[in-house]
């Protein structure tokens, strides 16, 4: 399992456009991914569940990635967060 923390910099927080782009990235890999905020978590490929986490600018989330492609996926997902959120 791979994981990293990320502090959201986007003014709108974790919102629909970047979340839908994240889902497209996840579809390329054989992984399970979750986003954790405090004591709540959501599967990263479930748009509505992610939106319900209420992640705002300044919030720190943890991204957990597990599966055969986790090594490759982690790099692309972390780059995505840095460039998009």
């Amino acid at each position: 399992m791979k994981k990293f923390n990320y502090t959201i910099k986007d003014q709108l927080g974790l919102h629909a456009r970047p979340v839908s782009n994240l889902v497209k990235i996840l579809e390329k890999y054989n992984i399970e991914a979750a986003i954790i905020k405090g004591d709540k978590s959501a599967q990263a490929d479930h748009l509505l569940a992610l939106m319900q986490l209420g992640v705002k600018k300044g919030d720190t989330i943890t991204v957990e990635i597990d599966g055969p492609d986790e090594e490759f996926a982690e790099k692309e997902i972390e780059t995505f967060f840095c460039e998009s959120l």
Side-chain angles (χ1 to χ4, degrees):
M1 176 182 296
K2 300 284 185 180
K3 66 172 150 178
F4 64 90
N5 294 323
Y6 184 78
T7 301
I8 302 296
K9 296 169 183 62
D10 188 291
Q11 293 287 9
L12 300 175
L14 193 59
H15 57 98
R17 187 178 342 112
V19 169
S20 65
N21 290 335
L22 176 61
V23 170
K24 290 177 187 173
I25 291 170
L26 297 173
E27 290 173 349
K28 299 189 311 188
Y29 298 102
N30 184 12
I31 58 166
E32 295 288 324
I35 306 270
I36 302 162
K37 177 190 168 199
D39 61 350
K40 297 180 181 179
S41 69
Q43 291 299 329
D45 59 349
H46 292 114
L47 184 105
L48 291 177
L50 287 176
M51 301 304 295
Q52 290 175 340
L53 290 176
V55 178
K56 303 200 180 327
K57 180 180 179 183
D59 289 346
T60 299
I61 59 169
T62 301
V63 180
E64 290 185 348
I65 306 159
D66 192 27
D69 296 337
E70 65 188 30
E71 197 75 37
F72 304 108
E74 178 190 28
K75 292 175 186 169
E76 185 171 359
I77 294 167
E78 194 163 7
T79 298
F80 168 78
F81 273 89
C82 290
E83 293 175 353
S84 302
L85 290 165

Coordinates of all heavy atoms in Angstrom, one line a residue:
M1 N 0.8 -1.2 0.0 CA 0.0 0.0 0.0 C 0.9 1.2 0.0 O 1.9 1.3 0.7 CB -0.9 0.0 1.2 CG -1.7 1.3 1.3 SD -2.8 1.5 2.7 CE -3.9 0.1 2.5
K2 N 0.5 2.2 -0.8 CA 1.2 3.5 -0.9 C 0.2 4.5 -0.3 O -1.0 4.4 -0.5 CB 1.5 3.8 -2.3 CG 2.5 2.9 -3.0 CD 3.8 3.1 -2.5 CE 4.8 2.2 -3.2 NZ 6.2 2.4 -2.7
K3 N 0.8 5.6 0.3 CA -0.1 6.7 0.7 C 0.7 7.9 0.8 O 2.0 7.9 1.0 CB -0.8 6.4 2.0 CG 0.0 6.2 3.2 CD -1.0 6.1 4.4 CE -0.5 5.2 5.5 NZ -1.4 5.2 6.6
F4 N 0.0 9.0 0.6 CA 0.7 10.3 0.8 C -0.4 11.3 1.3 O -1.6 11.1 1.1 CB 1.3 10.8 -0.6 CG 0.3 11.1 -1.7 CD1 -0.3 12.3 -1.9 CD2 0.0 10.0 -2.6 CE1 -1.1 12.5 -2.9 CE2 -0.9 10.3 -3.6 CZ -1.4 11.5 -3.8
N5 N 0.1 12.4 1.9 CA -0.8 13.5 2.4 C -0.7 14.6 1.4 O 0.4 14.9 0.8 CB -0.3 14.0 3.8 CG -0.6 12.9 4.8 OD1 -1.5 12.1 4.7 ND2 0.4 12.8 5.7
Y6 N -1.8 15.4 1.3 CA -1.8 16.5 0.4 C -2.7 17.6 1.0 O -3.8 17.3 1.4 CB -2.2 16.2 -1.0 CG -2.2 17.3 -2.0 CD1 -1.0 17.7 -2.5 CD2 -3.3 18.1 -2.3 CE1 -0.9 18.8 -3.4 CE2 -3.2 19.2 -3.1 CZ -2.0 19.5 -3.6 OH -1.9 20.6 -4.5
T7 N -2.2 18.8 1.0 CA -3.0 20.0 1.4 C -3.6 20.7 0.2 O -2.9 21.1 -0.7 CB -2.2 20.9 2.3 OG1 -1.7 20.2 3.4 CG2 -3.0 22.1 2.8
I8 N -4.9 20.8 0.2 CA -5.7 21.3 -1.0 C -5.4 22.8 -1.1 O -5.5 23.6 -0.1 CB -7.2 21.1 -0.8 CG1 -7.5 19.6 -0.7 CG2 -7.9 21.7 -2.0 CD1 -7.1 18.7 -1.9
K9 N -5.0 23.2 -2.3 CA -4.7 24.6 -2.5 C -5.7 25.3 -3.4 O -5.8 26.6 -3.4 CB -3.3 24.7 -3.2 CG -2.2 24.3 -2.3 CD -0.9 24.1 -3.0 CE 0.2 23.6 -2.2 NZ 0.0 22.2 -1.7
D10 N -6.5 24.6 -4.1 CA -7.6 25.1 -5.0 C -8.6 25.9 -4.1 O -9.1 25.4 -3.1 CB -8.2 24.0 -5.7 CG -9.2 24.5 -6.8 OD1 -10.2 25.1 -6.5 OD2 -8.8 24.3 -8.0
Q11 N -9.0 27.1 -4.6 CA -10.0 27.9 -3.9 C -11.3 27.2 -3.7 O -12.0 27.4 -2.7 CB -10.2 29.2 -4.7 CG -9.0 30.1 -4.8 CD -8.8 30.8 -3.5 OE1 -9.3 30.5 -2.4 NE2 -7.8 31.8 -3.5
L12 N -11.7 26.3 -4.6 CA -13.0 25.6 -4.5 C -12.9 24.3 -3.7 O -13.9 23.6 -3.6 CB -13.5 25.4 -5.9 CG -13.8 26.6 -6.7 CD1 -14.2 26.3 -8.1 CD2 -14.8 27.5 -6.0
G13 N -11.7 23.9 -3.3 CA -11.5 22.7 -2.6 C -11.6 21.5 -3.6 O -11.2 21.6 -4.7
L14 N -12.0 20.4 -3.1 CA -12.1 19.2 -3.9 C -13.5 19.2 -4.6 O -14.5 18.9 -4.0 CB -12.0 17.9 -3.0 CG -11.8 16.6 -3.7 CD1 -10.5 16.6 -4.6 CD2 -11.7 15.5 -2.7
H15 N -13.5 19.7 -5.8 CA -14.8 19.9 -6.5 C -14.9 19.0 -7.8 O -14.0 18.3 -8.1 CB -15.0 21.4 -6.9 CG -13.9 22.0 -7.7 ND1 -14.0 22.1 -9.0 CD2 -12.7 22.4 -7.4 CE1 -12.9 22.7 -9.5 NE2 -12.1 22.9 -8.5
A16 N -16.1 19.1 -8.4 CA -16.5 18.1 -9.5 C -15.5 18.0 -10.6 O -15.2 16.9 -11.0 CB -17.8 18.5 -10.0
R17 N -15.0 19.1 -11.2 CA -14.1 18.9 -12.3 C -12.8 18.1 -12.1 O -12.5 17.2 -12.7 CB -13.7 20.3 -12.9 CG -13.0 20.2 -14.3 CD -12.7 21.5 -14.9 NE -13.4 22.7 -14.5 CZ -12.9 23.7 -13.8 NH1 -11.6 23.7 -13.5 NH2 -13.6 24.7 -13.5
P18 N -12.0 18.5 -11.0 CA -10.8 17.7 -10.8 C -11.2 16.3 -10.3 O -10.4 15.4 -10.6 CB -10.1 18.5 -9.7 CG -11.0 19.5 -9.2 CD -12.1 19.7 -10.2
V19 N -12.2 16.1 -9.6 CA -12.6 14.8 -9.1 C -12.9 13.9 -10.3 O -12.5 12.7 -10.4 CB -13.8 14.8 -8.1 CG1 -14.3 13.4 -7.9 CG2 -13.3 15.4 -6.8
S20 N -13.6 14.4 -11.3 CA -13.9 13.6 -12.5 C -12.7 13.3 -13.3 O -12.5 12.2 -13.8 CB -15.0 14.3 -13.4 OG -14.5 15.5 -13.9
N21 N -11.7 14.2 -13.3 CA -10.4 13.9 -13.9 C -9.6 12.9 -13.1 O -8.9 12.0 -13.7 CB -9.6 15.2 -14.1 CG -10.2 16.1 -15.1 OD1 -10.9 15.7 -16.0 ND2 -9.9 17.4 -14.9
L22 N -9.7 12.9 -11.8 CA -9.1 11.9 -11.0 C -9.6 10.5 -11.3 O -8.9 9.5 -11.4 CB -9.2 12.2 -9.5 CG -8.7 11.2 -8.5 CD1 -7.2 11.0 -8.7 CD2 -9.1 11.7 -7.1
V23 N -10.9 10.4 -11.4 CA -11.6 9.1 -11.7 C -11.1 8.6 -13.0 O -10.8 7.4 -13.1 CB -13.1 9.3 -11.7 CG1 -13.8 8.0 -12.3 CG2 -13.6 9.6 -10.3
K24 N -10.8 9.4 -14.0 CA -10.3 9.0 -15.3 C -8.9 8.4 -15.1 O -8.5 7.4 -15.8 CB -10.3 10.1 -16.3 CG -11.7 10.5 -16.8 CD -11.6 11.7 -17.7 CE -13.0 12.2 -18.0 NZ -13.0 13.4 -18.8
I25 N -8.1 9.0 -14.3 CA -6.7 8.5 -14.0 C -6.8 7.1 -13.4 O -6.1 6.2 -13.7 CB -5.9 9.5 -13.2 CG1 -5.6 10.8 -14.0 CG2 -4.7 8.9 -12.7 CD1 -5.1 11.9 -13.1
L26 N -7.7 7.0 -12.4 CA -7.8 5.8 -11.6 C -8.2 4.6 -12.5 O -7.8 3.5 -12.3 CB -8.8 5.9 -10.5 CG -8.4 6.9 -9.4 CD1 -9.5 7.1 -8.4 CD2 -7.1 6.6 -8.7
E27 N -9.0 4.9 -13.5 CA -9.5 3.8 -14.4 C -8.4 3.2 -15.2 O -8.5 2.0 -15.7 CB -10.6 4.4 -15.4 CG -11.9 4.8 -14.7 CD -12.8 5.5 -15.6 OE1 -12.4 5.9 -16.8 OE2 -14.0 5.6 -15.2
K28 N -7.3 3.8 -15.3 CA -6.1 3.3 -16.1 C -5.4 2.2 -15.3 O -4.6 1.5 -15.9 CB -5.2 4.4 -16.5 CG -5.8 5.5 -17.3 CD -4.8 6.5 -17.9 CE -3.8 7.0 -16.9 NZ -3.0 8.1 -17.4
Y29 N -5.5 2.1 -14.0 CA -4.7 1.3 -13.2 C -5.5 0.2 -12.5 O -6.7 0.4 -12.2 CB -4.0 2.1 -12.2 CG -3.0 3.1 -12.7 CD1 -3.4 4.4 -12.8 CD2 -1.8 2.7 -13.2 CE1 -2.5 5.4 -13.4 CE2 -0.9 3.6 -13.8 CZ -1.3 5.0 -13.8 OH -0.4 5.9 -14.4
N30 N -4.9 -0.9 -12.2 CA -5.5 -2.0 -11.4 C -5.2 -1.7 -9.9 O -4.2 -2.2 -9.3 CB -4.9 -3.3 -11.8 CG -5.5 -4.5 -11.1 OD1 -6.6 -4.3 -10.5 ND2 -4.9 -5.6 -11.2
I31 N -6.0 -0.8 -9.3 CA -5.8 -0.4 -8.0 C -7.1 -0.1 -7.3 O -8.1 0.1 -7.9 CB -4.9 0.9 -7.9 CG1 -5.6 2.1 -8.7 CG2 -3.5 0.7 -8.3 CD1 -5.1 3.4 -8.4
E32 N -7.0 0.0 -6.0 CA -8.1 0.6 -5.2 C -7.5 1.8 -4.5 O -6.4 1.8 -4.1 CB -8.5 -0.4 -4.0 CG -9.2 -1.7 -4.5 CD -10.6 -1.5 -5.1 OE1 -11.3 -0.6 -4.5 OE2 -10.9 -2.1 -6.1
A33 N -8.3 2.9 -4.5 CA -7.7 4.2 -4.0 C -8.8 4.8 -3.1 O -10.0 4.7 -3.4 CB -7.3 5.1 -5.1
A34 N -8.4 5.4 -2.0 CA -9.3 6.1 -1.1 C -8.7 7.4 -0.7 O -7.5 7.6 -0.7 CB -9.5 5.2 0.2
I35 N -9.6 8.3 -0.4 CA -9.3 9.7 0.1 C -9.8 9.7 1.5 O -11.0 9.4 1.8 CB -10.0 10.8 -0.8 CG1 -9.6 10.6 -2.2 CG2 -9.6 12.2 -0.2 CD1 -8.4 11.3 -2.8
I36 N -9.0 10.2 2.4 CA -9.3 10.2 3.8 C -9.2 11.7 4.3 O -8.2 12.3 4.1 CB -8.4 9.3 4.7 CG1 -8.5 7.9 4.1 CG2 -8.8 9.4 6.1 CD1 -7.4 7.0 4.6
K37 N -10.2 12.1 5.0 CA -10.2 13.5 5.6 C -10.7 13.3 7.0 O -11.9 13.0 7.3 CB -11.1 14.5 4.9 CG -11.2 15.8 5.5 CD -12.3 16.7 4.9 CE -12.5 17.9 5.8 NZ -13.7 18.5 5.6
G38 N -9.8 13.5 7.9 CA -10.2 13.3 9.3 C -10.6 11.8 9.6 O -9.8 10.9 9.3
D39 N -11.8 11.6 10.1 CA -12.3 10.3 10.4 C -13.2 9.8 9.3 O -13.8 8.7 9.4 CB -13.0 10.2 11.7 CG -14.2 11.1 11.8 OD1 -14.4 12.0 10.9 OD2 -14.9 11.0 12.8
K40 N -13.3 10.5 8.2 CA -14.1 10.1 7.0 C -13.3 9.7 5.9 O -12.2 10.2 5.7 CB -15.0 11.2 6.6 CG -16.0 11.7 7.6 CD -16.8 12.8 7.0 CE -17.8 13.4 8.1 NZ -18.6 14.5 7.5
S41 N -13.8 8.7 5.1 CA -13.0 8.3 3.9 C -14.0 7.9 2.8 O -15.2 7.7 3.1 CB -12.2 7.0 4.2 OG -12.9 5.9 4.4
A42 N -13.5 7.9 1.6 CA -14.4 7.6 0.4 C -13.5 7.0 -0.6 O -12.3 7.3 -0.8 CB -15.0 8.9 -0.2
Q43 N -14.1 6.0 -1.4 CA -13.4 5.4 -2.5 C -13.1 6.6 -3.5 O -14.0 7.3 -3.8 CB -14.2 4.3 -3.1 CG -14.2 3.1 -2.2 CD -12.9 2.5 -1.9 OE1 -11.9 2.6 -2.7 NE2 -12.7 1.9 -0.8
A44 N -11.9 6.6 -4.0 CA -11.5 7.8 -4.9 C -12.2 7.7 -6.2 O -12.2 8.7 -7.0 CB -10.0 7.8 -5.1
D45 N -12.8 6.6 -6.6 CA -13.5 6.5 -7.9 C -15.0 6.7 -7.8 O -15.7 6.6 -8.7 CB -13.2 5.2 -8.6 CG -13.6 4.0 -7.8 OD1 -14.0 4.1 -6.6 OD2 -13.6 2.9 -8.4
H46 N -15.5 7.2 -6.6 CA -16.9 7.5 -6.4 C -17.1 9.0 -6.2 O -16.9 9.5 -5.1 CB -17.4 6.7 -5.2 CG -17.5 5.2 -5.4 ND1 -16.7 4.4 -4.7 CD2 -18.2 4.5 -6.3 CE1 -17.0 3.1 -5.1 NE2 -17.9 3.2 -6.1
L47 N -17.4 9.6 -7.3 CA -17.5 11.1 -7.4 C -18.4 11.6 -6.2 O -17.9 12.5 -5.5 CB -18.1 11.5 -8.7 CG -18.1 13.0 -8.9 CD1 -17.0 13.4 -9.9 CD2 -19.5 13.4 -9.5
L48 N -19.6 11.1 -6.0 CA -20.5 11.7 -5.0 C -19.9 11.5 -3.6 O -20.0 12.4 -2.8 CB -21.9 11.1 -5.2 CG -22.6 11.5 -6.4 CD1 -24.0 10.8 -6.5 CD2 -22.8 13.0 -6.4
A49 N -19.3 10.3 -3.4 CA -18.8 10.1 -2.0 C -17.6 11.0 -1.7 O -17.5 11.5 -0.6 CB -18.3 8.6 -2.0
L50 N -16.8 11.3 -2.7 CA -15.7 12.3 -2.5 C -16.3 13.7 -2.3 O -15.8 14.4 -1.4 CB -14.8 12.3 -3.8 CG -13.9 11.1 -4.0 CD1 -13.1 11.3 -5.3 CD2 -13.0 11.0 -2.8
M51 N -17.3 14.1 -3.0 CA -17.9 15.4 -2.8 C -18.5 15.5 -1.4 O -18.4 16.6 -0.8 CB -19.0 15.7 -3.9 CG -18.5 15.6 -5.3 SD -17.1 16.7 -5.7 CE -17.9 18.3 -5.4
Q52 N -19.0 14.4 -0.9 CA -19.6 14.5 0.5 C -18.6 14.6 1.6 O -18.9 14.9 2.7 CB -20.5 13.2 0.7 CG -21.7 13.2 -0.2 CD -22.5 11.9 0.0 OE1 -22.0 10.9 0.4 NE2 -23.8 12.0 -0.4
L53 N -17.3 14.4 1.3 CA -16.3 14.6 2.3 C -16.1 16.1 2.7 O -15.6 16.4 3.7 CB -14.9 14.1 1.8 CG -14.7 12.6 1.7 CD1 -13.4 12.2 1.1 CD2 -14.9 11.9 3.0
G54 N -16.6 16.9 1.8 CA -16.5 18.4 2.1 C -15.1 18.9 2.2 O -14.8 19.8 3.0
V55 N -14.2 18.5 1.3 CA -12.8 18.9 1.4 C -12.7 20.3 0.8 O -13.1 20.6 -0.3 CB -11.9 18.0 0.6 CG1 -10.4 18.5 0.6 CG2 -12.0 16.5 1.1
K56 N -12.2 21.2 1.7 CA -12.1 22.7 1.3 C -10.6 23.1 1.2 O -9.7 22.3 1.7 CB -12.7 23.5 2.4 CG -14.2 23.1 2.5 CD -15.0 24.2 3.2 CE -16.4 23.9 3.4 NZ -17.1 23.1 2.4
K57 N -10.4 24.2 0.7 CA -9.0 24.8 0.6 C -8.4 24.8 2.0 O -9.0 25.2 3.0 CB -9.0 26.2 0.0 CG -7.6 26.8 -0.1 CD -7.6 28.2 -0.6 CE -6.2 28.7 -0.7 NZ -6.1 30.1 -1.1
G58 N -7.1 24.3 2.1 CA -6.4 24.3 3.4 C -6.6 23.0 4.1 O -5.8 22.7 5.0
D59 N -7.5 22.1 3.7 CA -7.7 20.8 4.3 C -6.6 19.9 3.9 O -6.2 19.9 2.7 CB -9.0 20.2 4.0 CG -10.2 20.8 4.6 OD1 -10.0 21.6 5.6 OD2 -11.4 20.6 4.2
T60 N -6.1 19.1 4.8 CA -5.1 18.0 4.4 C -5.8 16.7 4.3 O -6.5 16.3 5.3 CB -3.9 18.0 5.4 OG1 -3.3 19.3 5.4 CG2 -2.9 16.9 5.1
I61 N -5.6 16.0 3.2 CA -6.2 14.7 3.0 C -5.1 13.7 2.9 O -3.9 14.0 2.7 CB -7.1 14.7 1.7 CG1 -6.2 15.0 0.5 CG2 -8.3 15.6 1.9 CD1 -6.9 14.8 -0.8
T62 N -5.4 12.4 3.1 CA -4.5 11.3 2.9 C -5.1 10.5 1.7 O -6.3 10.2 1.7 CB -4.4 10.4 4.1 OG1 -3.9 11.2 5.2 CG2 -3.5 9.2 3.9
V63 N -4.2 10.2 0.8 CA -4.6 9.4 -0.4 C -3.9 8.0 -0.2 O -2.7 7.9 0.0 CB -4.1 10.0 -1.7 CG1 -4.5 9.1 -2.9 CG2 -4.7 11.4 -1.9
E64 N -4.7 6.9 -0.2 CA -4.2 5.6 0.0 C -4.4 4.8 -1.3 O -5.5 4.9 -1.9 CB -4.9 4.8 1.1 CG -4.6 5.3 2.5 CD -5.2 4.5 3.6 OE1 -6.1 3.7 3.3 OE2 -4.8 4.7 4.7
I65 N -3.4 4.1 -1.8 CA -3.5 3.4 -3.1 C -3.0 2.0 -2.8 O -1.9 1.8 -2.2 CB -2.6 4.1 -4.1 CG1 -2.9 5.6 -4.2 CG2 -2.6 3.4 -5.5 CD1 -1.8 6.4 -4.8
D66 N -3.8 1.0 -3.3 CA -3.4 -0.4 -3.0 C -3.7 -1.2 -4.3 O -4.8 -1.0 -4.9 CB -4.2 -0.9 -1.8 CG -3.7 -2.3 -1.4 OD1 -2.5 -2.5 -1.6 OD2 -4.4 -3.0 -0.8
G67 N -2.8 -2.0 -4.7 CA -3.0 -2.9 -5.8 C -1.7 -3.1 -6.6 O -0.7 -2.5 -6.4
P68 N -1.8 -4.0 -7.6 CA -0.6 -4.3 -8.4 C 0.0 -3.1 -9.1 O 1.2 -3.1 -9.3 CB -1.2 -5.3 -9.5 CG -2.4 -5.8 -8.9 CD -3.0 -4.7 -8.0
D69 N -0.7 -2.1 -9.5 CA -0.2 -0.9 -10.2 C 0.1 0.3 -9.3 O 0.3 1.4 -9.7 CB -1.2 -0.5 -11.3 CG -1.3 -1.5 -12.4 OD1 -0.4 -2.4 -12.5 OD2 -2.4 -1.5 -13.1
E70 N 0.1 0.0 -7.9 CA 0.2 1.2 -7.0 C 1.4 2.0 -7.2 O 1.3 3.2 -7.0 CB 0.1 0.7 -5.6 CG 1.3 -0.2 -5.1 CD 1.1 -0.8 -3.8 OE1 -0.1 -1.1 -3.4 OE2 2.1 -1.0 -3.1
E71 N 2.5 1.4 -7.5 CA 3.8 2.2 -7.7 C 3.6 3.2 -8.8 O 4.0 4.4 -8.7 CB 4.9 1.2 -8.1 CG 6.3 1.8 -7.9 CD 6.7 1.9 -6.4 OE1 6.3 1.0 -5.6 OE2 7.3 2.8 -6.1
F72 N 3.1 2.8 -10.0 CA 2.9 3.7 -11.1 C 1.8 4.7 -10.8 O 1.9 5.9 -11.2 CB 2.6 2.9 -12.4 CG 3.6 1.9 -12.7 CD1 3.4 0.5 -12.5 CD2 4.9 2.3 -13.1 CE1 4.3 -0.4 -12.8 CE2 5.9 1.3 -13.4 CZ 5.6 0.0 -13.2
A73 N 0.7 4.2 -10.3 CA -0.4 5.1 -10.0 C -0.1 6.2 -9.0 O -0.5 7.3 -9.2 CB -1.6 4.2 -9.5
E74 N 0.6 5.9 -8.0 CA 1.0 6.9 -7.0 C 1.6 8.1 -7.6 O 1.3 9.2 -7.3 CB 1.9 6.3 -5.9 CG 2.3 7.3 -4.8 CD 3.4 6.8 -3.9 OE1 4.2 6.0 -4.3 OE2 3.4 7.3 -2.8
K75 N 2.6 7.9 -8.5 CA 3.3 9.0 -9.1 C 2.3 9.9 -9.9 O 2.4 11.1 -9.8 CB 4.4 8.5 -10.0 CG 5.5 7.8 -9.2 CD 6.6 7.2 -10.1 CE 7.6 6.4 -9.2 NZ 8.4 5.6 -10.0
E76 N 1.5 9.3 -10.7 CA 0.6 10.1 -11.5 C -0.5 10.8 -10.7 O -0.8 11.9 -10.9 CB -0.1 9.2 -12.6 CG -1.0 10.0 -13.5 CD -1.5 9.3 -14.7 OE1 -1.2 8.1 -14.9 OE2 -2.2 9.9 -15.5
I77 N -1.0 10.1 -9.7 CA -2.0 10.7 -8.8 C -1.4 11.9 -8.0 O -2.0 12.9 -7.9 CB -2.6 9.6 -7.9 CG1 -3.4 8.6 -8.7 CG2 -3.5 10.3 -6.8 CD1 -3.8 7.4 -8.0
E78 N -0.2 11.7 -7.5 CA 0.4 12.7 -6.7 C 0.7 14.0 -7.6 O 0.5 15.1 -7.2 CB 1.7 12.2 -6.0 CG 2.2 13.2 -5.0 CD 3.2 12.5 -4.0 OE1 3.6 11.4 -4.2 OE2 3.5 13.2 -3.0
T79 N 1.2 13.7 -8.8 CA 1.4 14.8 -9.8 C 0.1 15.5 -10.1 O 0.0 16.7 -10.2 CB 2.0 14.2 -11.1 OG1 3.3 13.7 -10.7 CG2 2.2 15.3 -12.1
F80 N -1.0 14.7 -10.3 CA -2.3 15.3 -10.6 C -2.7 16.3 -9.5 O -3.1 17.4 -9.7 CB -3.3 14.2 -10.8 CG -4.7 14.7 -10.8 CD1 -5.2 15.3 -11.9 CD2 -5.5 14.6 -9.7 CE1 -6.5 15.8 -11.9 CE2 -6.8 15.1 -9.6 CZ -7.3 15.7 -10.8
F81 N -2.6 15.8 -8.2 CA -3.0 16.7 -7.1 C -2.1 18.0 -7.1 O -2.7 19.1 -6.9 CB -2.8 15.9 -5.8 CG -4.1 15.2 -5.4 CD1 -4.2 13.9 -5.8 CD2 -5.1 15.8 -4.6 CE1 -5.4 13.1 -5.5 CE2 -6.2 15.1 -4.3 CZ -6.4 13.7 -4.7
C82 N -0.8 17.8 -7.3 CA 0.0 19.0 -7.2 C -0.3 20.0 -8.4 O -0.2 21.2 -8.2 CB 1.5 18.6 -7.3 SG 2.1 17.8 -5.9
E83 N -0.7 19.5 -9.5 CA -1.0 20.4 -10.7 C -2.4 20.9 -10.7 O -2.7 21.9 -11.3 CB -0.6 19.6 -12.0 CG 0.8 19.4 -12.1 CD 1.1 18.5 -13.4 OE1 0.2 18.1 -14.1 OE2 2.3 18.4 -13.7
S84 N -3.3 20.1 -10.1 CA -4.8 20.5 -10.2 C -5.5 20.9 -9.0 O -6.5 21.5 -9.1 CB -5.5 19.2 -10.8 OG -4.9 18.8 -12.0
L85 N -4.9 20.6 -7.8 CA -5.6 20.9 -6.6 C -4.7 21.6 -5.6 O -5.0 21.8 -4.5 CB -6.2 19.7 -6.0 CG -7.4 19.1 -6.7 CD1 -7.7 17.7 -6.3 CD2 -8.6 20.0 -6.5

